[in-house]
Amino acid sequence: MNRNAGAQAEQLYSEAVQETPPNRNKLDRLVDLLCDHPQLIYDTFFAKAHKAAEIAVDTWHGTGDIKVNDRILILTVPALWGWTVMEETLCHAPPPELLETRYPQLAQQFLKLAELTLAHPNTTPGPVVRRTIQALTRFWPEIINACVSLKTQSPAWRQLYEATLRRADSLIQLSEQSNDPALQMHLAKFFETEASIFTAAPQPGGSPRSRLNLDRVPSQHAYISKTALVTRGERARQQLVQLLPSSDNMRLCSTSFITATINSIVYLMNLRPQFCEQLLERLINWYDAINSSEQTMTRLQSVVIGKTLRIALLQLYTRNHMSAYSEILKHKLDALGGPEWARWQEFQKRERERRLRHEAWERSLVPPKKASEEGPQSARWVPAPGDGQEKSAPEDGQVEPAYQPAPGADVDVNTDLPPLKPLAEVLGVNSSRSNSEDNQIELLEERTKRVKLDKEQEEVVVSDMEIEVPEKELEIPDKELQQAAVENDSQIETEMQDALGSEPPFEMLAMDAMSPDTRQNHLMEAIRRVIRGSERMRKFIEHKRVLHSIDTAGKPAPRSRTLEENMVQQ
């Protein structure tokens, strides 16, 4: 398997570099193949990748010669492939037998080439320099994680860590010297990475993402200083915010660079919520400063930057682990405004209303509690006032509770019970009624008697009209039923043939013997025939459903009209 993979990798590489310019697609396929067979990289292809990236260093010197530009293009594509191969190799765990020997050697070669490339940022093709920064940004957390996890004190890994630390320092120097927005975008990602891994873990309820942080670095490590890393994390947060341009040169800055920096700052808040308030205050102050005057940036810059900031903060506000800072974010979003925030608030309002309606509907489905579920009978027992108790008068609108013995108590039948009161007095109803009320009650009773009398007379009439029919006369012999079923089947078949056979026969001619117009008309006629046939069949089925319903005696229902009449009626 490895032999076949090796031969396929050699063939892809040879075919890709022999084309002018080199074939990017084949080089990408080669990277996927090498990732599936990493042993090929350690054997031969790491050296090829290193050489392809090294040739492109310090090759462009600002000349406008077309031949030189073509040569730069030819060198750039393999160089980018080389950095990709080296990055994929070093950012994945090597085989155990190569951990102490081969892997540190390849990493040292990688770091030396990065040093050489960053030393000539102006004479090396820009894509190659940016790819170098991207590879170092990904390699930096991996090497620290490996040094902490392996707990090795070998000189090779110590030298590797120190070399990586120097390359990280060179990136900081490059950010202070270069004004290239494309490089600054990749440097913003580097500072974001340093600021996230060189800080403590998020506070309780923070970001659920499990990334490297200072809590994993022991205080007494052999060659890693935890205090120095804390300092680097603080400096990275400051430098990330300082990448935002001032209001004096906004028109000269790339909008893509500004939006990328804003996204990096907001993403750092997402990874480390404990710095949300600090970073958010500086970001909003910068945005207010550039919006203080319309002359600082163009109209397009203002629209794009404002929308990017609002969307990024809105996404941060909706994160569950940012609930501790939701009030701060809500205040800033209210100040920024924008249609995105208004639409989100309207959506939340509709969602709350929908939830309330759903809860009310669920409550309506719950049946009311019965008297037996409200509590035991002894809990509802109202004792009668004793000798030493005073009887309190009931409040307005309340009925005085009647005397009842305690549940389970012995009742003496000779005991004098309290005298019963009239119902009208207990309910508080006035016994005197007006003459109009008496008249209405008498009228209602008279109407009720009249309705009962009419109903009794109707029942008598119906009973007189009923005629007893022997059961034998109601029964239909089986032969008659079978004959009726056969007649109905033949009639159904005849009507179906009439319904579907009204169309003339359709002959499908050879398509290649027709002209385009004739072919189109032929196809349209076939489609119309299918539609008409489907419509007739639908009407036929509906018609038969009506005609073949069976009456209560079990006989077929009489036909009301013919099939043609029914179709015309529909």
Side-chain angles (χ1 to χ4, degrees):
M1 182 66 183
N2 288 335
R3 257 183 219 177
N4 296 335
Q8 187 180 358
E10 290 289 350
Q11 182 180 359
L12 281 174
Y13 181 75
S14 177
E15 293 176 355
V17 298
Q18 286 178 3
E19 297 184 17
T20 305
N23 194 315
R24 295 173 182 262
N25 295 331
K26 291 184 178 180
L27 291 176
D28 292 339
R29 289 167 53 193
L30 179 57
V31 172
D32 296 336
L33 180 62
L34 294 176
C35 291
D36 295 336
H37 303 84
Q39 189 63 38
L40 298 174
I41 303 178
Y42 288 96
D43 293 341
T44 56
F45 276 91
F46 191 91
K48 293 182 178 181
H50 184 274
K51 184 177 180 180
E54 187 179 12
I55 295 176
V57 176
D58 197 19
T59 56
W60 184 76
H61 296 278
T63 178
D65 191 356
I66 298 178
K67 295 182 179 180
V68 175
N69 292 338
D70 292 341
R71 178 172 175 268
I72 295 301
L73 179 61
I74 294 173
L75 295 177
T76 301
V77 176
L80 296 176
W81 169 82
W83 279 108
T84 303
V85 172
M86 290 188 289
E87 177 186 343
E88 293 296 330
T89 304
L90 299 176
C91 292
H92 291 84
E97 63 273 10
L98 304 178
L99 189 61
E100 295 289 343
T101 56
R102 185 65 174 157
Y103 182 86
Q105 295 175 4
L106 299 181
Q108 288 289 356
Q109 295 178 19
F110 166 81
L111 293 173
K112 289 180 181 179
L113 183 57
E115 180 183 5
L116 182 62
T117 304
L118 296 178
H120 303 85
N122 298 324
T123 57
T124 303
V128 179
V129 179
R130 295 192 291 270
R131 191 66 185 84
T132 305
I133 299 174
Q134 184 178 355
L136 284 174
T137 302
R138 185 181 175 190
F139 178 70
W140 188 207
E142 297 294 336
I143 197 64
I144 295 179
N145 190 22
C147 292
V148 173
S149 302
L150 296 175
K151 299 180 181 180
T152 178
Q153 298 183 7
S154 64
W157 280 92
R158 184 185 188 115
Q159 295 173 4
L160 183 58
Y161 168 77
E162 293 175 352
T164 309
L165 190 62
R166 289 192 295 270
R167 298 293 76 76
D169 293 335
S170 64
L171 289 179
I172 297 175
Q173 296 175 1
L174 181 62
S175 67
E176 298 173 352
Q177 299 172 359
S178 176
N179 295 323
D180 186 3
L183 287 181
Q184 297 287 350
M185 290 174 60
H186 289 77
L187 291 171
K189 186 64 179 179
F190 170 76
F191 290 135
E192 173 203 318
T193 303
E194 273 205 340
S196 61
I197 65 176
F198 295 148
T199 53
Q203 297 175 355
S207 174
R209 293 174 58 91
S210 58
R211 295 188 55 174
L212 178 65
N213 54 73
L214 279 182
D215 292 343
R216 299 186 57 189
V217 179
S219 302
Q220 303 297 329
H221 197 273
Y223 48 85
I224 298 179
S225 175
K226 190 172 183 178
T227 305
L229 296 183
V230 172
T231 305
R232 292 185 70 91
E234 295 176 355
R235 183 175 60 180
R237 289 196 304 273
Q238 297 176 1
Q239 290 177 331
L240 178 60
V241 180
Q242 290 175 359
L243 288 177
L244 293 171
S246 61
S247 58
D248 299 334
N249 57 352
M250 281 294 299
R251 290 177 177 268
L252 303 178
C253 292
S254 170
T255 306
S256 300
F257 161 65
I258 299 174
T259 55
T261 306
I262 292 174
N263 288 328
S264 295
I265 295 174
V266 176
Y267 187 64
L268 179 59
M269 299 181 200
N270 178 56
L271 295 178
R272 298 294 181 262
Q274 60 266 34
F275 303 117
C276 175
E277 188 173 359
Q278 173 189 353
L279 294 174
L280 182 61
E281 190 67 26
R282 297 186 63 178
L283 183 60
I284 296 299
N285 291 339
W286 169 83
Y287 183 73
D288 293 339
I290 65 173
N291 278 318
S292 59
S293 175
E294 297 181 358
Q295 302 299 325
T296 57
M297 55 182 173
T298 63
R299 175 64 179 170
L300 180 60
Q301 280 183 320
S302 177
V303 172
V304 173
I305 294 173
K307 185 174 183 179
T308 301
L309 180 60
R310 293 194 301 268
I311 293 177
L313 293 181
L314 178 58
Q315 292 177 347
L316 187 66
Y317 175 75
T318 56
R319 303 284 184 180
N320 293 331
H321 63 273
M322 298 298 297
S323 57
Y325 305 94
S326 59
E327 291 298 329
I328 301 175
L329 291 169
K330 184 178 182 300
H331 176 71
K332 299 300 181 183
L333 287 169
D334 289 337
L336 292 174
E340 301 84 10
W341 177 240
R343 285 195 297 267
W344 190 87
Q345 288 181 315
E346 181 65 23
F347 171 77
Q348 293 298 316
K349 179 181 178 181
R350 294 197 303 269
E351 186 67 16
R352 287 192 296 268
E353 294 175 353
R354 185 198 64 81
R355 194 180 299 111
L356 291 176
R357 290 195 300 269
H358 183 72
E359 292 176 356
W361 174 76
E362 287 183 341
R363 288 194 299 267
S364 65
L365 298 179
V366 179
K369 291 185 177 180
K370 299 180 180 179
S372 59
E373 298 178 358
E374 295 180 356
Q377 185 179 4
S378 58
R380 300 191 302 274
W381 168 62
V382 181
D387 298 335
Q389 298 180 354
E390 295 182 359
K391 184 176 178 180
S392 57
E395 299 180 359
D396 297 339
Q398 295 184 353
V399 180
E400 179 182 357
Y403 168 78
Q404 53 182 339
D410 297 333
V411 180
D412 188 1
V413 294
N414 297 322
T415 305
D416 295 334
L417 296 179
L420 296 178
K421 298 181 180 180
L423 180 60
E425 182 180 351
V426 173
L427 298 178
V429 179
N430 189 4
S431 58
S432 59
R433 295 181 300 187
S434 59
N435 295 330
S436 59
E437 294 178 352
D438 295 338
N439 295 335
Q440 290 179 1
I441 292 176
E442 293 177 359
L443 181 61
L444 180 60
E445 293 177 352
E446 183 179 354
R447 288 181 179 178
T448 304
K449 294 179 181 178
R450 188 181 304 167
V451 170
K452 291 182 179 179
L453 180 60
D454 295 341
K455 187 176 180 180
E456 293 176 355
Q457 293 177 356
E458 290 179 359
E459 292 178 352
V460 172
V461 173
V462 171
S463 61
D464 295 340
M465 294 176 64
E466 290 181 350
I467 301 175
E468 295 184 357
V469 181
E471 295 182 357
K472 295 183 179 180
E473 296 182 4
L474 294 177
E475 295 179 354
I476 300 177
D478 295 341
K479 293 183 179 180
E480 295 181 5
L481 292 176
Q482 293 178 359
Q483 183 65 26
V486 171
E487 293 177 358
N488 287 338
D489 293 342
S490 61
Q491 189 175 4
I492 290 173
E493 185 176 358
T494 303
E495 292 181 355
M496 183 181 296
Q497 292 177 357
D498 295 340
L500 300 180
S502 59
E503 293 284 345
F506 181 76
E507 296 182 0
M508 187 67 182
L509 304 178
M511 301 296 290
D512 54 355
M514 302 181 187
S515 63
D517 295 338
T518 306
R519 185 184 301 110
Q520 182 177 3
N521 295 334
H522 198 65
L523 293 176
M524 293 302 296
E525 178 62 24
I527 295 173
R528 285 193 289 269
R529 286 175 63 89
V530 172
I531 295 175
R532 289 196 298 267
S534 301
E535 185 64 22
R536 286 176 175 271
M537 181 58 69
R538 182 185 64 81
K539 294 180 179 179
F540 174 75
I541 293 173
E542 293 179 356
H543 176 67
K544 300 309 296 180
R545 288 176 179 173
V546 176
L547 296 183
H548 288 272
S549 60
I550 305 301
D551 59 1
T552 56
K555 296 182 180 181
R559 301 177 58 83
S560 59
R561 61 171 75 91
T562 63
L563 174 63
E564 291 76 8
E565 293 174 352
N566 188 35
M567 295 178 65
V568 171
Q569 181 68 21
Q570 291 183 0

PDB file of all heavy atoms in Angstrom, residues 299-317:
ATOM      1  N   ARG A 299     -17.766  56.833   2.668  1.00  0.00           N
ATOM      2  CA  ARG A 299     -19.101  56.349   3.006  1.00  0.00           C
ATOM      3  C   ARG A 299     -19.143  54.818   2.995  1.00  0.00           C
ATOM      4  O   ARG A 299     -19.757  54.186   3.866  1.00  0.00           O
ATOM      5  CB  ARG A 299     -20.110  56.909   2.001  1.00  0.00           C
ATOM      6  CG  ARG A 299     -21.526  56.381   2.169  1.00  0.00           C
ATOM      7  CD  ARG A 299     -22.113  56.786   3.502  1.00  0.00           C
ATOM      8  NE  ARG A 299     -23.467  56.303   3.658  1.00  0.00           N
ATOM      9  CZ  ARG A 299     -24.147  56.355   4.796  1.00  0.00           C
ATOM     10  NH1 ARG A 299     -23.570  56.858   5.873  1.00  0.00           N
ATOM     11  NH2 ARG A 299     -25.376  55.924   4.856  1.00  0.00           N
ATOM     12  N   LEU A 300     -18.491  54.197   2.018  1.00  0.00           N
ATOM     13  CA  LEU A 300     -18.474  52.738   1.944  1.00  0.00           C
ATOM     14  C   LEU A 300     -17.751  52.134   3.139  1.00  0.00           C
ATOM     15  O   LEU A 300     -18.199  51.137   3.703  1.00  0.00           O
ATOM     16  CB  LEU A 300     -17.791  52.296   0.641  1.00  0.00           C
ATOM     17  CG  LEU A 300     -17.686  50.783   0.414  1.00  0.00           C
ATOM     18  CD1 LEU A 300     -19.071  50.156   0.373  1.00  0.00           C
ATOM     19  CD2 LEU A 300     -16.925  50.487  -0.870  1.00  0.00           C
ATOM     20  N   GLN A 301     -16.638  52.736   3.537  1.00  0.00           N
ATOM     21  CA  GLN A 301     -15.933  52.237   4.716  1.00  0.00           C
ATOM     22  C   GLN A 301     -16.811  52.313   5.962  1.00  0.00           C
ATOM     23  O   GLN A 301     -16.853  51.388   6.772  1.00  0.00           O
ATOM     24  CB  GLN A 301     -14.646  53.042   4.937  1.00  0.00           C
ATOM     25  CG  GLN A 301     -13.480  52.632   4.071  1.00  0.00           C
ATOM     26  CD  GLN A 301     -12.237  53.436   4.400  1.00  0.00           C
ATOM     27  OE1 GLN A 301     -12.304  54.646   4.640  1.00  0.00           O
ATOM     28  NE2 GLN A 301     -11.101  52.772   4.410  1.00  0.00           N
ATOM     29  N   SER A 302     -17.525  53.415   6.108  1.00  0.00           N
ATOM     30  CA  SER A 302     -18.375  53.585   7.288  1.00  0.00           C
ATOM     31  C   SER A 302     -19.465  52.516   7.343  1.00  0.00           C
ATOM     32  O   SER A 302     -19.735  51.933   8.404  1.00  0.00           O
ATOM     33  CB  SER A 302     -18.999  54.981   7.269  1.00  0.00           C
ATOM     34  OG  SER A 302     -19.870  55.159   8.358  1.00  0.00           O
ATOM     35  N   VAL A 303     -20.084  52.227   6.194  1.00  0.00           N
ATOM     36  CA  VAL A 303     -21.168  51.238   6.173  1.00  0.00           C
ATOM     37  C   VAL A 303     -20.628  49.848   6.472  1.00  0.00           C
ATOM     38  O   VAL A 303     -21.184  49.101   7.302  1.00  0.00           O
ATOM     39  CB  VAL A 303     -21.878  51.266   4.804  1.00  0.00           C
ATOM     40  CG1 VAL A 303     -22.878  50.114   4.697  1.00  0.00           C
ATOM     41  CG2 VAL A 303     -22.589  52.595   4.612  1.00  0.00           C
ATOM     42  N   VAL A 304     -19.529  49.454   5.829  1.00  0.00           N
ATOM     43  CA  VAL A 304     -18.997  48.101   5.986  1.00  0.00           C
ATOM     44  C   VAL A 304     -18.474  47.886   7.401  1.00  0.00           C
ATOM     45  O   VAL A 304     -18.747  46.855   8.042  1.00  0.00           O
ATOM     46  CB  VAL A 304     -17.891  47.845   4.944  1.00  0.00           C
ATOM     47  CG1 VAL A 304     -17.211  46.509   5.204  1.00  0.00           C
ATOM     48  CG2 VAL A 304     -18.473  47.876   3.545  1.00  0.00           C
ATOM     49  N   ILE A 305     -17.723  48.846   7.926  1.00  0.00           N
ATOM     50  CA  ILE A 305     -17.145  48.693   9.270  1.00  0.00           C
ATOM     51  C   ILE A 305     -18.239  48.667  10.325  1.00  0.00           C
ATOM     52  O   ILE A 305     -18.223  47.850  11.259  1.00  0.00           O
ATOM     53  CB  ILE A 305     -16.129  49.810   9.531  1.00  0.00           C
ATOM     54  CG1 ILE A 305     -14.924  49.668   8.594  1.00  0.00           C
ATOM     55  CG2 ILE A 305     -15.669  49.793  10.983  1.00  0.00           C
ATOM     56  CD1 ILE A 305     -13.944  50.815   8.672  1.00  0.00           C
ATOM     57  N   GLY A 306     -19.227  49.565  10.195  1.00  0.00           N
ATOM     58  CA  GLY A 306     -20.313  49.584  11.167  1.00  0.00           C
ATOM     59  C   GLY A 306     -21.118  48.296  11.172  1.00  0.00           C
ATOM     60  O   GLY A 306     -21.455  47.759  12.236  1.00  0.00           O
ATOM     61  N   LYS A 307     -21.413  47.772   9.997  1.00  0.00           N
ATOM     62  CA  LYS A 307     -22.185  46.532   9.928  1.00  0.00           C
ATOM     63  C   LYS A 307     -21.381  45.364  10.482  1.00  0.00           C
ATOM     64  O   LYS A 307     -21.926  44.507  11.190  1.00  0.00           O
ATOM     65  CB  LYS A 307     -22.585  46.263   8.480  1.00  0.00           C
ATOM     66  CG  LYS A 307     -23.488  45.060   8.325  1.00  0.00           C
ATOM     67  CD  LYS A 307     -23.986  44.919   6.898  1.00  0.00           C
ATOM     68  CE  LYS A 307     -24.952  43.733   6.768  1.00  0.00           C
ATOM     69  NZ  LYS A 307     -25.474  43.602   5.386  1.00  0.00           N
ATOM     70  N   THR A 308     -20.085  45.312  10.185  1.00  0.00           N
ATOM     71  CA  THR A 308     -19.246  44.228  10.714  1.00  0.00           C
ATOM     72  C   THR A 308     -19.220  44.249  12.238  1.00  0.00           C
ATOM     73  O   THR A 308     -19.334  43.204  12.897  1.00  0.00           O
ATOM     74  CB  THR A 308     -17.821  44.354  10.160  1.00  0.00           C
ATOM     75  OG1 THR A 308     -17.853  44.304   8.729  1.00  0.00           O
ATOM     76  CG2 THR A 308     -16.931  43.234  10.686  1.00  0.00           C
ATOM     77  N   LEU A 309     -19.086  45.432  12.820  1.00  0.00           N
ATOM     78  CA  LEU A 309     -19.038  45.545  14.279  1.00  0.00           C
ATOM     79  C   LEU A 309     -20.366  45.148  14.906  1.00  0.00           C
ATOM     80  O   LEU A 309     -20.398  44.423  15.915  1.00  0.00           O
ATOM     81  CB  LEU A 309     -18.661  46.981  14.658  1.00  0.00           C
ATOM     82  CG  LEU A 309     -18.563  47.279  16.152  1.00  0.00           C
ATOM     83  CD1 LEU A 309     -17.505  46.404  16.803  1.00  0.00           C
ATOM     84  CD2 LEU A 309     -18.249  48.754  16.387  1.00  0.00           C
ATOM     85  N   ARG A 310     -21.471  45.567  14.319  1.00  0.00           N
ATOM     86  CA  ARG A 310     -22.780  45.250  14.902  1.00  0.00           C
ATOM     87  C   ARG A 310     -23.061  43.743  14.838  1.00  0.00           C
ATOM     88  O   ARG A 310     -23.535  43.151  15.805  1.00  0.00           O
ATOM     89  CB  ARG A 310     -23.880  46.023  14.157  1.00  0.00           C
ATOM     90  CG  ARG A 310     -23.831  47.517  14.352  1.00  0.00           C
ATOM     91  CD  ARG A 310     -25.128  48.160  13.865  1.00  0.00           C
ATOM     92  NE  ARG A 310     -25.374  47.876  12.464  1.00  0.00           N
ATOM     93  CZ  ARG A 310     -24.994  48.638  11.450  1.00  0.00           C
ATOM     94  NH1 ARG A 310     -24.308  49.755  11.697  1.00  0.00           N
ATOM     95  NH2 ARG A 310     -25.272  48.324  10.206  1.00  0.00           N
ATOM     96  N   ILE A 311     -22.768  43.128  13.708  1.00  0.00           N
ATOM     97  CA  ILE A 311     -23.024  41.687  13.574  1.00  0.00           C
ATOM     98  C   ILE A 311     -22.132  40.883  14.512  1.00  0.00           C
ATOM     99  O   ILE A 311     -22.580  39.914  15.150  1.00  0.00           O
ATOM    100  CB  ILE A 311     -22.825  41.251  12.109  1.00  0.00           C
ATOM    101  CG1 ILE A 311     -23.902  41.892  11.222  1.00  0.00           C
ATOM    102  CG2 ILE A 311     -22.857  39.736  11.979  1.00  0.00           C
ATOM    103  CD1 ILE A 311     -23.743  41.588   9.751  1.00  0.00           C
ATOM    104  N   ALA A 312     -20.857  41.273  14.629  1.00  0.00           N
ATOM    105  CA  ALA A 312     -19.939  40.540  15.509  1.00  0.00           C
ATOM    106  C   ALA A 312     -20.390  40.631  16.969  1.00  0.00           C
ATOM    107  O   ALA A 312     -20.382  39.630  17.701  1.00  0.00           O
ATOM    108  CB  ALA A 312     -18.520  41.076  15.345  1.00  0.00           C
ATOM    109  N   LEU A 313     -20.788  41.824  17.413  1.00  0.00           N
ATOM    110  CA  LEU A 313     -21.235  41.971  18.799  1.00  0.00           C
ATOM    111  C   LEU A 313     -22.574  41.270  19.041  1.00  0.00           C
ATOM    112  O   LEU A 313     -22.811  40.742  20.132  1.00  0.00           O
ATOM    113  CB  LEU A 313     -21.343  43.459  19.150  1.00  0.00           C
ATOM    114  CG  LEU A 313     -20.026  44.234  19.202  1.00  0.00           C
ATOM    115  CD1 LEU A 313     -20.274  45.682  19.593  1.00  0.00           C
ATOM    116  CD2 LEU A 313     -19.053  43.593  20.174  1.00  0.00           C
ATOM    117  N   LEU A 314     -23.453  41.263  18.041  1.00  0.00           N
ATOM    118  CA  LEU A 314     -24.726  40.566  18.194  1.00  0.00           C
ATOM    119  C   LEU A 314     -24.513  39.067  18.336  1.00  0.00           C
ATOM    120  O   LEU A 314     -25.155  38.409  19.172  1.00  0.00           O
ATOM    121  CB  LEU A 314     -25.627  40.870  16.994  1.00  0.00           C
ATOM    122  CG  LEU A 314     -26.992  40.165  16.969  1.00  0.00           C
ATOM    123  CD1 LEU A 314     -27.796  40.510  18.214  1.00  0.00           C
ATOM    124  CD2 LEU A 314     -27.770  40.545  15.712  1.00  0.00           C
ATOM    125  N   GLN A 315     -23.614  38.506  17.544  1.00  0.00           N
ATOM    126  CA  GLN A 315     -23.304  37.082  17.689  1.00  0.00           C
ATOM    127  C   GLN A 315     -22.686  36.787  19.052  1.00  0.00           C
ATOM    128  O   GLN A 315     -22.968  35.752  19.653  1.00  0.00           O
ATOM    129  CB  GLN A 315     -22.359  36.646  16.566  1.00  0.00           C
ATOM    130  CG  GLN A 315     -22.998  36.664  15.185  1.00  0.00           C
ATOM    131  CD  GLN A 315     -22.020  36.306  14.089  1.00  0.00           C
ATOM    132  OE1 GLN A 315     -20.808  36.276  14.293  1.00  0.00           O
ATOM    133  NE2 GLN A 315     -22.526  36.050  12.893  1.00  0.00           N
ATOM    134  N   LEU A 316     -21.850  37.689  19.532  1.00  0.00           N
ATOM    135  CA  LEU A 316     -21.265  37.496  20.856  1.00  0.00           C
ATOM    136  C   LEU A 316     -22.332  37.587  21.943  1.00  0.00           C
ATOM    137  O   LEU A 316     -22.284  36.857  22.940  1.00  0.00           O
ATOM    138  CB  LEU A 316     -20.170  38.545  21.083  1.00  0.00           C
ATOM    139  CG  LEU A 316     -19.330  38.407  22.349  1.00  0.00           C
ATOM    140  CD1 LEU A 316     -18.500  37.140  22.299  1.00  0.00           C
ATOM    141  CD2 LEU A 316     -18.417  39.618  22.525  1.00  0.00           C
ATOM    142  N   TYR A 317     -23.306  38.459  21.767  1.00  0.00           N
ATOM    143  CA  TYR A 317     -24.369  38.652  22.761  1.00  0.00           C
ATOM    144  C   TYR A 317     -25.250  37.411  22.881  1.00  0.00           C
ATOM    145  O   TYR A 317     -25.769  37.100  23.960  1.00  0.00           O
ATOM    146  CB  TYR A 317     -25.211  39.864  22.358  1.00  0.00           C
ATOM    147  CG  TYR A 317     -26.412  40.110  23.222  1.00  0.00           C
ATOM    148  CD1 TYR A 317     -26.283  40.648  24.497  1.00  0.00           C
ATOM    149  CD2 TYR A 317     -27.698  39.809  22.769  1.00  0.00           C
ATOM    150  CE1 TYR A 317     -27.393  40.871  25.298  1.00  0.00           C
ATOM    151  CE2 TYR A 317     -28.804  40.034  23.551  1.00  0.00           C
ATOM    152  CZ  TYR A 317     -28.647  40.562  24.819  1.00  0.00           C
ATOM    153  OH  TYR A 317     -29.742  40.788  25.607  1.00  0.00           O
TER     154      TYR A 317
END
